[in-house]
Amino acid sequence: QVQLVESGGGLVQAGGSLRLSCLASGSAVSRNIMGTMGWYRQAPGLQRELVATITRLGDTNYAEFAKGRFTISRDRAQMMVHLQMNGLESEDTAIYYCKLRFWRREQDYWGQGTQVTVFS
């Protein structure tokens, strides 16, 4: 069993910043090795898309729109992943989801999402 709880979303003016966090917990977390964690987003009427991922070794991958503005990080215990978002634009308005895949496992776990709304 895995729970992913996102926090940090909200309403922000264009050009502002938000920091999203995601905490992983549950019995499966203690039985498995934490693997890649990531952030995805879904805007109304659009498909869910990758924002950024970070492996257990700290290697990162960003969508083009996120490069230079967003930074993904995770804590040393590997239980939390963060997304620092700077220079937010109205196009960044979406529900942001946290995803976890355990090391050498194929199942993905998703959080419930946190709403980010950027207004001009």
Side-chain angles (χ1 to χ4, degrees):
Q1 187 177 8
V2 176
Q3 290 84 43
L4 297 174
V5 179
E6 301 100 334
S7 61
L11 188 65
V12 63
Q13 192 168 16
S17 299
L18 283 175
R19 179 177 171 86
L20 306 183
S21 295
C22 172
L23 173 64
S25 64
S27 57
V29 171
S30 60
R31 294 198 307 268
N32 289 277
I33 298 173
M34 301 293 283
T36 297
M37 298 187 77
W39 289 96
Y40 293 71
R41 70 183 188 183
Q42 187 167 19
L46 298 179
Q47 289 189 335
R48 193 172 297 188
E49 62 180 351
L50 167 74
V51 178
T53 60
I54 184 167
T55 70
R56 67 188 191 97
L57 299 179
D59 297 322
T60 58
N61 178 51
Y62 293 92
E64 282 300 317
F65 65 79
K67 291 179 180 178
R69 297 191 301 134
F70 296 179
T71 303
I72 190 170
S73 62
R74 65 195 299 175
D75 68 341
R76 294 174 65 90
Q78 304 280 325
M79 301 303 183
M80 291 192 71
V81 64
H82 310 282
L83 185 69
Q84 178 67 42
M85 304 187 294
N86 299 326
L88 285 163
E89 304 166 351
S90 57
E91 292 78 12
D92 296 316
T93 294
I95 299 174
Y96 284 71
Y97 296 91
C98 175
K99 190 182 87 169
L100 162 67
R101 180 180 291 191
F102 293 116
W103 189 53
R104 293 188 174 179
R105 297 287 187 266
E106 295 185 359
Q107 184 175 357
D108 292 327
Y109 296 90
W110 293 89
Q112 293 297 308
T114 185
Q115 176 71 48
V116 171
T117 302
V118 184
F119 65 94
S120 301

